[in-house]
Amino acid sequence: MLQRYWFGDVDEQGCRAAGTDPAALAGRAATIRTGMESYVPIDWEVARDCGVVRTREEYVDLLRSVCTTLAREKIARSYRERDVELLQMVRMLDELDNVINLLQERAAEWYQVTNPSFSRKYRSLPARKMLNLIQRGARGGLLDVSGEIERLTVTRSRLMREVSARADEVLPNTSALIGGLVAARLLSRAGGLSALARMPGSTIQVLGSERALFSHLRGGTPPPKHGIIFQHRRVHNAPREVRGRVARVLAAKLAIAARLDYYRGEAVPEFLNAAQARIDEAGVTA
């Protein structure tokens, strides 16, 4: 029986070497598909008898070079995937949100030290109005910090628009159902388009509500009905009595949309029209 190994082919007549070029051997290794029920482990001496190496150290060095080449090629392929840049954009957007919120909180606490009456005012103000109020009364370092917060906020808004536009390209069907920004956040939490396309609707429905889900599993609290998809108006604007149903139907359609985005990469109007109609129907109260 012929056995294919990364360094050559072995059968009853002996071994036929495949050369010693790591790149060529890596290409060969990537094409080998051997079922474990028929696989026969082999010692390095076979590679020596085949003329590929002379010592065990040479065998290990050559095998390491082949594995390194395979790893580099796999990493390069993953970076060429069309969702890779979008993932980084979403994660940067999340980091900007965290930084801006933290800096605004610290700036408010700092300003409160010099203006004690500010404590009763700022908590009920929108973030931008609060920042404008601080800038009018701040001086020195606090004024500089508040200016940096404002610039970061402008950067965050611009990046948010870019994320939404990029999501429309990478996730045309998913974005059409829930909007580019929410679609991008789903993609980020899933870890990529291929992972999102493999998820059932039940998983997509609660994606982003991991803490509530773990609390339910550990302490018996009510299970979460939705996660990231709650950000979409179809869910958070739905009447409370049908919100869970809307989230369930939307998640089921998103599972199909993600698969269409992964395998086709273009919008499918027939699916989108039918999905929108079904989601609208789910939101109708009895």
Side-chain angles (χ1 to χ4, degrees), residues 110-130:
W110 184 354
Y111 187 66
Q112 183 179 338
V113 171
T114 57
N115 296 271
S117 62
F118 179 68
S119 60
R120 292 190 299 272
K121 299 177 181 179
Y122 88 91
R123 296 184 185 279
S124 59
L125 291 176
R128 180 173 291 277
K129 289 185 177 180
M130 182 187 72

Side-chain angles (χ1 to χ4, degrees), residues 90-101:
V90 176
R91 290 165 183 168
M92 179 61 73
L93 183 62
D94 290 340
E95 291 299 330
L96 279 175
D97 285 338
N98 293 334
V99 170
I100 291 171
N101 291 336

Side-chain angles (χ1 to χ4, degrees), residues 60-238:
V60 172
D61 287 342
L62 183 58
L63 180 58
R64 182 185 296 113
S65 297
V66 171
C67 292
T68 301
T69 300
L70 282 171
R72 286 174 175 169
E73 291 175 353
K74 187 173 183 179
I75 293 171
R77 284 197 302 271
S78 69
Y79 281 157
R80 289 194 294 269
E81 296 293 334
R82 52 199 175 94
D83 62 335
V84 173
E85 184 181 14
L86 179 58
L87 282 172
Q88 297 303 323
M89 293 168 69
V90 176
R91 290 165 183 168
M92 179 61 73
L93 183 62
D94 290 340
E95 291 299 330
L96 279 175
D97 285 338
N98 293 334
V99 170
I100 291 171
N101 291 336
L102 179 60
L103 289 176
Q104 285 177 336
E105 180 180 348
R106 291 289 178 263
E109 291 176 356
W110 184 354
Y111 187 66
Q112 183 179 338
V113 171
T114 57
N115 296 271
S117 62
F118 179 68
S119 60
R120 292 190 299 272
K121 299 177 181 179
Y122 88 91
R123 296 184 185 279
S124 59
L125 291 176
R128 180 173 291 277
K129 289 185 177 180
M130 182 187 72
L131 187 61
N132 290 338
L133 182 60
I134 292 175
Q135 286 179 317
R136 286 198 297 269
R139 62 182 183 275
L142 180 55
L143 183 60
D144 293 338
V145 169
S146 62
E148 291 298 330
I149 296 174
E150 184 174 20
R151 282 187 284 274
L152 283 175
T153 302
V154 172
T155 299
R156 189 258 182 200
S157 298
R158 185 167 62 248
L159 179 57
M160 183 174 63
R161 291 191 294 270
E162 291 181 7
V163 166
S164 183
R166 181 64 175 153
D168 289 344
E169 299 174 2
V170 177
L171 306 158
N173 294 283
T174 306
S175 295
L177 289 181
I178 57 171
L181 191 59
V182 183
R185 292 195 184 282
L186 278 178
L187 178 79
S188 177
R189 188 55 63 96
L193 182 53
S194 62
L196 184 63
R198 291 194 299 269
M199 289 182 176
S202 57
T203 301
I204 294 176
Q205 181 177 345
V206 296
L207 201 61
S209 63
E210 287 79 7
R211 289 185 180 179
L213 182 59
F214 292 148
S215 177
H216 163 67
L217 295 175
R218 287 195 304 263
T221 59
K225 295 182 179 179
H226 37 63
I228 292 174
I229 63 174
F230 182 74
Q231 299 175 22
H232 186 53
R233 58 177 179 79
R234 287 183 177 276
V235 179
H236 69 244
N237 286 346

Side-chain angles (χ1 to χ4, degrees), residues 12-72:
E12 293 80 2
Q13 281 72 43
C15 174
R16 290 177 294 279
T20 58
D21 178 46
L25 291 175
R28 171 187 170 84
T31 63
I32 294 177
R33 298 291 183 270
T34 302
M36 294 307 298
E37 67 280 355
S38 62
Y39 177 75
V40 179
I42 202 164
D43 293 327
W44 75 270
E45 287 91 344
V46 177
R48 179 196 60 193
D49 298 341
C50 213
V52 178
V53 295
R54 291 171 296 181
T55 65
R56 186 178 185 278
E57 288 72 20
E58 288 185 6
Y59 177 84
V60 172
D61 287 342
L62 183 58
L63 180 58
R64 182 185 296 113
S65 297
V66 171
C67 292
T68 301
T69 300
L70 282 171
R72 286 174 175 169

Side-chain angles (χ1 to χ4, degrees), residues 241-260:
E241 62 270 21
V242 298
R243 189 175 293 163
R245 184 171 69 209
V246 172
R248 185 168 59 254
V249 172
L250 175 59
K253 299 305 179 183
L254 287 173
I256 300 173
R259 296 184 183 103
L260 291 173

